[in-house]
Amino acid sequence: MRPDLSDQKSQRDVGPQEPIVTGEFGLIDWVRSRTRPGAQTALGIGDDCALLRVSPGAEVLATTDMLIEGRHFDFDDATPEQIGFKALAVNLSDIAAMAGIPRFALIALALPRGRAVELAQRVFAGLKPLAERFGVDLVGGDTNAWDGPLVISVTLLGETTAQGAVRRSGAKPGDLIVVTGPLGGSLLGRHLRPEPRVEEALALHKIAKLHAMIDLSDGLASDLAHILDESGSPGATLNADAIPIHADAETLASRDGRTPLDHALNDGEDFELCFTIHPDDAGLLIDQRPAHLTLSLIGTIDETPGLRLRVSGEVVPLAAQGFDHLKPDHS
Ligand code: ADP
Ligand code: MG
């Protein structure tokens, strides 16, 4: 379909060598001229499909995530550049969660008529440095304008290493549960600048076999429950004292009366990794982990189904109450 961007002119980047960008094809040319795919891309933007190269023997990882203005963000709190950054970062985090290597991105945009070109250019400006940092080629997308708000959907493709992907389904009773960083309170601003743990996941999975892994997007309790569900329903017991709590969780708690621990367990969008390992591998992983990374051993996988919390010597059931977009009270 041909979106009507014909009345769209952008005042950004207008300089002596920089003609004003108009229309869909002008915009695609603008993106294309700023995109230099690497050797992994046989054919990038400009044809009906991109042609991609993956390493012999590798499996392809595919993931997609959509951000909707008015639903996931508002331009009162976030710039278009930040939304571009986040739209790619959350997908990078999904590739990290399987210990994959990110390779190719496609971007689909529904642009509000009237400021379509300017918004698209600013989204691209936020996304591009992150793509370059992670060696991701922008190989295609789709561009539309409408009378609704901004919608951006990024599809990211990656590949597995010789160690293979880490699935949610591999947790075994006796495993230790590990997280890669302090949790909670991301709403104070961290949710706009996630640090995808791509290199970290690859490094850790090379040191020792990670049994199961997920990135923390819905909240620790809820995301850990996903690992349990996919792993044939063993249980888990978390040690309240061992859960690393972010300073932002303390700040939020002082404002809203919830505890910092509650924030660490149930706030979403930390984008840290949660994984399980054989207990014999814990020492090696901690010794050889990337220097900047803190690993916290927060609990164990056990035979008894359900999620539990050990708090001041007592073990209590823990509800998984992370965000669910389709729950009636959210829609
Ligand atoms: P088609 O009609 O065959 O889908 P389009 O005119 O939509 O082709 O797109 C032309 C080329 O530009 C394709 O290679 C497509 O992947 C790419 N493209 C379109 N929109 C974007 C975008 N927002 N970002 C990157 N590439 C894009
Ligand atoms: Mg198209």
Side-chain angles (χ1 to χ4, degrees), residues 17-74:
Q17 301 91 19
E18 192 88 44
I20 289 176
V21 173
T22 53
E24 180 198 3
F25 295 117
L27 178 62
I28 293 174
D29 284 346
W30 183 89
V31 170
R32 188 175 178 180
S33 68
R34 278 158 185 73
T35 309
R36 268 167 210 73
Q40 60 194 357
T41 299
L43 183 63
I45 294 173
D47 212 311
D48 294 307
C49 295
L51 283 170
L52 313 176
R53 298 192 175 102
V54 288
S55 308
E59 289 178 302
V60 174
L61 297 158
T63 183
T64 189
D65 253 303
M66 182 186 283
L67 296 180
I68 303 173
E69 180 187 353
R71 183 63 172 155
H72 302 101
F73 66 91
D74 274 300

